Amino acid sequence: MMPLSRLLVPLALLLTVFLPGAARAGDKKPARPNILFIMSDDHASAAIGAYGSWLKDVVRTPNIDRLAKQGMRFTTTLVTNSICTPCRAAILTGKYSHKNGVYTLQDPLDPKTQHVAALLQRAGYQTAIFGKWHLHTDPTGFDHWNILPGQGRYHDPIMRAKDGKKMEHKGYACDVTTDLTIQWLKKRDKDRPFLALCHFKAPHRPWDPASRFAKLYENTKIPEPPTLLDDYKNRSKAAAEATLKIGENNNKRDLGEDPPKGLDRDGLRRWAYQIYMKRYLSCVAAVDENVGRLLAFLEAEGLADNTIVIYTSDQGFFLGEHGFYDKRFMYEPSLRTPLIVRYPGHIPAGKVNDDMVLNIDFAPTFLDYAGLKAPADMQGKSIRSILQGKTPKDWRTSMYYRYWMHLADHGVPAHYGIRTTRYSLIYYYGQPLGMKGALKRPTEPEWELFDLQKDPQQMRNVFNDPAYGQTVRELRAELDRLRKEVGDNR
Ligand SMILES: [Ca+2]
């Protein structure tokens, strides 16, 4: 009997020839674009120069900024569950946590799960992933992979490859991840398009910079965000009681030293903020430098024009807003993630887009560019027409969010809610629901409503303000509708 692999090769060739948009005999370049997906870990858009935040004068991201100049930058890319492992699963599968089974940091991705890399591989793409994976089971749907176990380490990372080889790589994790990505790209089959996922570990806690950047901010005072000294008045107990406060909830590993004696609450927060941000931004510098290496490689290989380059983070992150670090909350700094996409000649350069894009939209978008129809059970939508400067008339104006890890790690209660173009409505339902890592202690249910137009910093919960009575009724109806639409009934 003919081995399966020998049957599949001619099939893949047939598909390549006859699929719409596929390379045809005589074409020099494949018509289907390559996709280089660069994703860092916990990189808030405020720490990218092009996003123009209060950090714009100190953050060093010339390469990511250049990508933004050459492509489209999105201001309102929102995640569906702001925590690492679930975001990674949502991005790959194009589905919410309650549909892909990865609700928490501890849930593994079932290797049989349908996801974008496997679908592209089946359609003839070469697929590979390097760096942080964090989905607990071995990757499937990739021709090659070389990943950090769990969180991995910043210096001399140990990595495990598809062939079973596990070895220590000398150097800084971002540099190593880039080296491996470039090595694989050099060896690629030049007649077939590729999907390469380059996943940096930085700038995740504990924020260890590369030695060349260790003193980058030694003599710099980092500007503070306006809500650094937030006192959590007019907000939920959830915000006041969460343990992701800078200073108060950092450990010595985070900051490298004990605080000076005699600091009051605000003094401690301001002191710790300086150390936190210097470490964080030094990690970002290495991410950016490696984005530059990847872009230079594409240029040198003649790949810049037929490769879609995406820069994003697995979720947003608090950089001192509300005095917080970390993520999880459906508040803007952790809900929003950076997104920049470049594809010369196909995506207008230097454009900024405010449409509501979700992390579950990435997978259907890649399939769209590859000339494939997204499977009906993928919940995201392709943003290809948005990237071409034409937002569909019926594009979403509201989205559903849910964080499941009740009180885990940083004391943030489980919650769900909706974000519309103007409002953010959040319901802390107070129950662990048997989720992995969740504390079994219920909390008192509470609601928050923020008017993002009048209160973009989210400092005043107006849920019980009679002036917003009608808005609350409408938003709760929309929340019910979206819960039905995405099929979440827990
Ligand atoms: Ca993360």
Side-chain angles (χ1 to χ4, degrees):
M1 212 174 115
M2 194 182 278
L4 189 62
S5 59
R6 285 181 57 195
L7 278 168
L8 287 176
V9 170
L11 184 66
L13 283 174
L14 271 175
L15 286 171
T16 312
V17 173
F18 293 112
L19 273 179
R24 285 175 179 82
D27 279 3
K28 276 194 186 130
K29 287 178 189 170
R32 295 187 295 176
N34 304 305
I35 301 169
L36 173 60
F37 181 78
I38 311 169
M39 182 164 79
S40 49
D41 193 356
D42 294 356
H43 190 183
S45 44
I48 294 177
Y51 277 85
S53 78
W54 73 97
L55 294 166
K56 68 179 187 305
D57 295 332
V58 292
V59 70
R60 193 188 282 194
T61 54
N63 294 295
I64 301 173
D65 298 346
R66 173 158 58 98
L67 198 64
K69 271 199 197 111
Q70 297 169 340
M72 192 176 275
R73 176 171 68 81
F74 290 82
T75 64
T76 316
T77 303
L78 311 176
V79 300
T80 45
N81 177 5
S82 186
I83 187 84
C84 303
T85 304
C87 280
R88 287 159 197 271
I91 287 168
L92 279 175
T93 62
K95 292 180 189 177
Y96 274 88
S97 304
H98 62 273
K99 292 289 183 188
N100 64 35
V102 182
Y103 298 84
T104 73
L105 281 176
Q106 286 84 5
D107 293 320
L109 180 71
D110 182 338
K112 294 191 294 292
T113 304
Q114 157 198 283
H115 65 74
V116 65
L119 292 166
L120 287 175
Q121 185 189 46
R122 210 179 302 157
Y125 269 70
Q126 305 165 79
T127 57
I129 172 167
F130 302 95
K132 186 165 170 183
W133 168 248
H134 208 207
L135 287 161
H136 308 298
T137 47
D138 281 353
T140 53
F142 293 94
D143 302 336
H144 185 56
W145 48 265
N146 205 339
I147 55 173
L148 296 159
Q151 298 285 359
R153 62 187 193 209
Y154 270 110
H155 294 283
D156 301 335
I158 292 167
M159 298 185 72
R160 202 160 58 79
K162 190 177 181 180
D163 62 11
K165 278 192 196 128
K166 189 173 176 179
M167 61 179 278
E168 185 181 282
H169 294 256
K170 288 286 170 207
Y172 188 63
C174 292
D175 303 342
V176 170
T177 302
T178 304
D179 291 344
L180 292 169
T181 306
I182 289 176
Q183 277 164 26
W184 180 77
L185 286 172
K186 277 184 179 161
K187 284 191 290 190
R188 77 192 186 282
D189 171 0
K190 292 184 177 169
D191 295 327
R192 288 195 295 141
F194 63 79
L195 168 75
L197 310 186
C198 177
H199 288 189
F200 295 126
K201 166 184 174 49
H204 191 282
R205 196 183 184 194
W207 314 299
D208 291 343
S211 51
R212 63 187 181 277
F213 291 124
K215 294 187 173 176
L216 185 60
Y217 292 102
E218 202 176 28
N219 300 310
T220 308
K221 183 168 187 318
I222 309 295
E224 296 174 352
T227 62
L228 179 66
L229 303 179
D230 194 350
D231 58 7
Y232 316 106
K233 281 188 185 131
N234 310 312
R235 233 76 46 72
S236 63
K237 276 190 193 153
E241 291 173 5
T243 52
L244 27 75
K245 298 189 183 82
I246 294 172
E248 207 176 310
N249 305 126
N250 284 123
N251 56 36
K252 198 168 170 181
R253 177 71 179 83
D254 293 341
L255 304 175
E257 56 186 294
D258 289 321
K261 290 215 164 54
L263 291 177
D264 60 8
R265 190 205 81 136
D266 289 359
L268 173 67
R269 195 173 285 181
R270 298 182 73 178
W271 171 83
Y273 172 79
Q274 288 298 317
I275 299 177
Y276 162 46
M277 285 311 300
K278 287 178 186 193
R279 296 186 64 141
Y280 182 96
L281 294 175
S282 304
C283 291
V284 166
V287 167
D288 183 78
E289 197 179 67
N290 280 291
V291 169
R293 289 180 62 209
L294 289 163
L295 297 181
F297 172 78
L298 293 182
E299 202 72 50
E301 283 279 304
L303 288 168
D305 286 344
N306 60 352
T307 301
I308 303 174
V309 181
I310 297 99
Y311 183 80
T312 189
S313 165
D314 59 342
Q315 12 67 204
F317 208 70
F318 291 103
L319 300 180
E321 302 98 327
H322 305 291
F324 291 160
Y325 67 96
D326 207 73
K327 49 250 176 180
R328 302 162 197 267
F329 271 112
M330 198 190 138
Y331 295 158
E332 293 293 296
S334 51
L335 179 66
R336 285 171 190 254
T337 200
L339 177 65
I340 296 167
V341 190
R342 183 187 83 175
Y343 184 18
H346 299 264
I347 297 172
K351 288 276 190 275
V352 179
N353 180 284
D354 299 323
D355 293 325
M356 192 181 282
V357 172
L358 307 184
N359 58 354
I360 53 174
D361 296 336
F362 298 176
T365 303
F366 298 170
L367 294 174
D368 193 355
Y369 274 106
L372 298 169
K373 205 169 169 325
D377 60 348
M378 265 195 187
Q379 296 178 296
K381 296 177 192 170
S382 169
I383 62 165
R384 188 175 178 173
S385 56
I386 293 177
L387 287 164
Q388 290 163 344
K390 291 179 287 247
T391 303
K393 281 207 178 69
D394 60 349
W395 191 252
R396 72 170 74 82
T397 54
S398 62
M399 64 82 72
Y400 178 66
Y401 176 92
R402 186 158 185 180
Y403 171 73
W404 297 83
M405 295 182 69
H406 186 67
L407 302 178
D409 307 322
H410 288 285
V412 179
H415 55 285
Y416 59 73
I418 57 164
R419 164 75 154 73
T420 69
T421 44
R422 176 162 175 186
Y423 298 102
S424 195
L425 177 74
I426 308 172
Y427 179 47
Y428 303 90
Y429 52 91
Q431 294 297 326
L433 302 179
M435 287 294 134
K436 285 181 190 148
L439 294 195
K440 295 205 169 65
R441 175 167 64 84
T443 51
E444 189 188 321
E446 49 182 352
W447 289 87
E448 278 182 330
L449 171 65
F450 297 101
D451 182 340
L452 299 172
Q453 205 173 73
K454 290 188 176 159
D455 178 26
Q457 309 285 350
Q458 299 180 293
M459 297 294 279
R460 197 164 75 88
N461 173 17
V462 293
F463 184 80
N464 292 314
D465 181 339
Y468 286 88
Q470 181 59 24
T471 302
V472 166
R473 278 188 291 280
E474 285 167 14
L475 289 171
R476 286 186 71 164
E478 178 63 2
L479 173 61
D480 291 344
R481 187 193 71 78
L482 276 178
R483 274 172 62 76
K484 276 201 193 87
E485 186 181 285
V486 304
D488 183 9
N489 48 24
R490 287 184 79 171

